[in-house]
Amino acid sequence: MTLQHARIVLLETRMAGEMADLLRRHGALNLVSVPAVREVARECGPQVANFLVRLSGGEIQMLVFFTGVGVTALYSEAEKLGCQVELVEALRATTIVCRGPKPVAALKRYGIPVAASAPEPYTTYELLAVLAPFDLADKVTGVVHYGEHNAQFTEELRQRGARLEELCLYEWLLPTDLAPLRSLVKSIVAGEIDALAFTSQVQARHLFRIAQELQLSSQLTEALNTRTLVASIGPTCTGVLQSYGVTPRVIPEHPKMGHLVKALVSYLA
């Protein structure tokens, strides 16, 4: 199998075009995009309005952002309420902690400083470690989640005495049309896919959810371990794949899309 002839499937949604372009620059010719996740904004105007009142009033002493998408979504909701100026001012007066560079970059666009940011590989473990020096006892701590609630993280904060104010502004759902994912599962089991690139743990969960629906879970696991090359972007994604019995053969040195592409290209070369 060579890069030029390998049939590579991308499960990425938002950055699928950019990822495909990177692979094509290295000579990949047979790329297939099968988005495994649909990111949907939640209707949470009243909740955001209450959150902004508490934030502007100084009641929320610390705010944790998991993703850049969460930062952008919060600003967008504030804009709808005509409170974007108040939001930025309140954020500048609040201790901000981020899980990695993406929320940091999003906040930088609005001139908002960040007190601490989790290092690679940007998992819940690193985020909790970077929060360790902060006294959270009886402090109101805001948490802007990603596409689902991180129960492990919030439980740890509660054990440290934090009082939480949580926002989940968007959610991760299955695609509206499930036919491409069903077809993909069948193609993998039939040995028709050479490589599969996972860029988030929810992609793995959704793929196996479809496989379970088709009663092909064990066959999918076997195919991903024996016939299809699996590339996983980082430890969280790899952990979920391993929970389904899949051992990825390609894991980049750094948990970023560009590094994942380079690692996949290197392996196939």
Side-chain angles (χ1 to χ4, degrees), residues 39 46 52 88 102 133-134 190 193 201 205 218 227 233 242:
E39 225 170 54
L52 291 176
V88 171
K102 290 184 179 179
F134 294 93
I193 305 300
Q201 51 88 10
R205 295 201 339 254
S218 60
R227 296 188 293 277
I233 197 164
Q242 289 172 337

Side-chain angles (χ1 to χ4, degrees), residues 37-262:
V37 184
R38 180 166 52 103
E39 225 170 54
V40 179
R42 301 181 68 184
E43 295 294 332
C44 49
Q47 187 183 1
V48 171
N50 179 64
F51 186 88
L52 291 176
V53 167
R54 298 195 70 188
L55 189 65
S56 297
E59 293 180 53
I60 299 174
Q61 290 109 328
M62 174 179 284
L63 185 54
V64 179
F65 285 101
F66 275 89
T67 65
V69 176
V71 173
T72 303
L74 180 59
Y75 186 86
S76 178
E77 288 295 325
E79 202 168 26
K80 290 176 189 174
L81 296 166
C83 300
Q84 65 269 34
V85 174
E86 291 87 344
L87 171 65
V88 171
E89 289 177 353
L91 289 175
R92 287 173 180 164
T94 304
T95 300
I96 306 290
V97 177
C98 294
R99 188 196 63 175
K102 290 184 179 179
V104 172
L107 289 162
K108 190 176 180 180
R109 290 199 298 267
Y110 307 113
I112 297 163
V114 172
S117 178
E120 286 191 20
Y122 318 126
T123 69
T124 299
Y125 175 82
E126 284 78 31
L127 183 56
L128 287 170
V130 87
L131 280 167
F134 294 93
D135 178 17
L136 302 181
D138 208 33
K139 304 277 178 62
V140 179
T141 301
V143 180
V144 181
H145 289 282
Y146 40 89
E148 59 191 12
H149 183 268
N150 188 323
Q152 176 193 353
F153 179 75
T154 54
E155 178 57 29
E156 179 69 25
L157 294 196
R158 286 193 179 95
Q159 287 181 9
R160 291 183 54 189
R163 291 183 288 135
L164 300 184
E165 184 73 28
E166 301 176 67
L167 280 180
C168 197
L169 302 171
Y170 62 99
E171 55 188 333
W172 290 327
L173 303 177
L174 281 163
T176 304
D177 181 9
L178 296 178
L181 271 179
R182 290 182 181 128
S183 178
L184 174 61
V185 169
K186 292 173 184 176
S187 294
I188 294 169
V189 170
E192 298 168 355
I193 305 300
D194 297 308
L196 188 60
F198 290 90
T199 52
S200 74
Q201 51 88 10
V202 70
Q203 293 168 1
R205 295 201 339 254
H206 282 182
L207 186 69
F208 272 90
R209 183 169 163 184
I210 297 300
Q212 288 161 4
E213 172 197 299
L214 296 171
Q215 297 184 331
L216 291 172
S217 295
S218 60
Q219 294 93 322
L220 178 62
T221 295
E222 181 187 5
L224 292 177
N225 281 327
T226 59
R227 296 188 293 277
T228 299
L229 174 65
V230 174
S232 170
I233 197 164
T236 301
C237 185
T238 298
V240 170
L241 284 164
Q242 289 172 337
S243 74
Y244 290 109
V246 176
T247 302
R249 280 182 278 166
V250 176
I251 303 172
E253 184 180 357
H254 303 286
K256 297 177 181 178
M257 189 177 71
H259 289 276
L260 178 66
V261 168
K262 288 179 182 177

